[in-house]
Amino acid sequence: RLLDHAEKMELAAISAEEQASGGSDTLSGTIRIGAPDGCANYLLPQICRRISADNPDLDIQIVALPRVLNLSKREADIAITVSPPKAGRMLVQRITDYALHLCGSRDYLEQSEKIERLDQIMDHPIVGYIPDLIFDKELDYLSEISKKATPKIASNSVSVQTNLLNHGAGIGIVHDFVLKEFPNLQKVLPDQLSLKRSFYLVRHEADIR
């Protein structure tokens, strides 16, 4: 779903560049895209590969950081965020919604007592974010399981968390779009807990002409 929107963005950018440059067919220069590491690792590579193939003179930089990038300080040209910014002269476009579910590795779940209720999750090692390094309230997934839920093994990186779960470290929240990369992971109680979040495209107002 994100790819379709990205292609529309690409077409709009190409059209604007053609008007500014007198008809060039492709984009050139350098663009830096900032994104949360889940998006940067599992969505942007396939999108940017296609954009790069169509625009050989365009250099693309992907900045994957577990924090919000500051466009005003030019840390990136555009950013993908999980919450719309509340300050600054920014143009914000909601790109798409995505779902997240509790997951564990098949081996871990086969070796554990069957989980039938959400409160049973507290009896398992939980993998999640380091609490004091959660940079956006939308990433506070565990509070939607229980106010008492704390990670036994934690990281500020989605990729690290997902790999921990893939290696049988316990149970944690995983983006649905990541699951195709990890066939060993399976959802836990998807009928009892399903989270929805959104990605937003953020650009500095001064960059839009």
Side-chain angles (χ1 to χ4, degrees), residues 4-31:
D4 181 60
H5 289 280
E7 289 173 342
K8 292 177 181 178
M9 290 159 42
E10 178 193 3
L11 290 174
I14 290 173
S15 177
E17 180 71 12
E18 287 178 347
Q19 293 182 35
S21 63
S24 175
D25 291 334
T26 61
L27 296 172
S28 61
T30 301
I31 186 167

Side-chain angles (χ1 to χ4, degrees), residues 103-115 120-127 152-153 164-172 184-186 188:
C103 292
S105 72
R106 296 182 188 279
D107 294 340
Y108 176 84
L109 295 173
E110 287 173 0
Q111 296 170 10
S112 303
E113 183 177 345
K114 185 176 181 181
I115 302 172
Q120 290 179 281
I121 299 300
M122 304 298 289
D123 298 328
H124 295 262
I126 297 176
V127 175
K152 179 71 173 177
I153 306 180
L164 282 166
L165 293 170
N166 193 49
H167 286 283
I171 295 174
N184 186 44
L185 293 178
Q186 67 180 46
V188 177

Side-chain angles (χ1 to χ4, degrees), residues 47-201:
I47 295 170
C48 291
R49 178 191 62 80
R50 294 178 62 174
I51 294 175
S52 180
D54 292 338
N55 300 273
D57 294 325
L58 180 66
D59 297 326
I60 302 173
Q61 300 175 352
I62 300 174
V63 181
L65 287 176
R67 63 177 178 84
V68 177
L69 289 168
N70 192 325
L71 295 188
S72 297
K73 294 183 178 180
R74 298 300 176 178
E75 292 181 334
D77 299 304
I78 62 176
I80 296 172
T81 67
V82 293
S83 290
K86 296 181 179 179
R89 297 173 62 84
M90 303 295 170
L91 294 177
V92 182
Q93 175 188 358
R94 191 168 126 239
I95 304 174
T96 188
D97 298 327
Y98 59 95
L100 309 96
H101 288 89
L102 279 168
C103 292
S105 72
R106 296 182 188 279
D107 294 340
Y108 176 84
L109 295 173
E110 287 173 0
Q111 296 170 10
S112 303
E113 183 177 345
K114 185 176 181 181
I115 302 172
E116 298 179 330
R117 304 184 317 275
L118 200 56
D119 59 9
Q120 290 179 281
I121 299 300
M122 304 298 289
D123 298 328
H124 295 262
I126 297 176
V127 175
Y129 277 102
I130 300 171
D132 60 350
L133 293 182
I134 294 176
F135 64 90
D136 192 300
K137 63 180 179 59
E138 296 294 333
L139 304 179
D140 187 14
Y141 307 132
L142 296 185
S143 65
E144 301 197 34
I145 300 173
S146 170
K147 296 298 182 183
K148 299 180 180 179
T150 56
K152 179 71 173 177
I153 306 180
S155 173
N156 66 333
S157 166
V158 168
S159 298
V160 173
Q161 293 175 38
T162 306
N163 277 293
L164 282 166
L165 293 170
N166 193 49
H167 286 283
I171 295 174
I173 297 292
V174 179
H175 302 68
D176 280 11
F177 60 76
V178 172
L179 290 177
K180 65 179 181 180
E181 307 287 344
F182 294 89
N184 186 44
L185 293 178
Q186 67 180 46
K187 295 179 181 179
V188 177
L189 303 178
D191 57 331
Q192 296 186 39
L193 182 70
S194 178
L195 306 181
K196 187 177 82 169
R197 296 293 190 268
S198 301
F199 282 132
Y200 297 86
L201 180 69

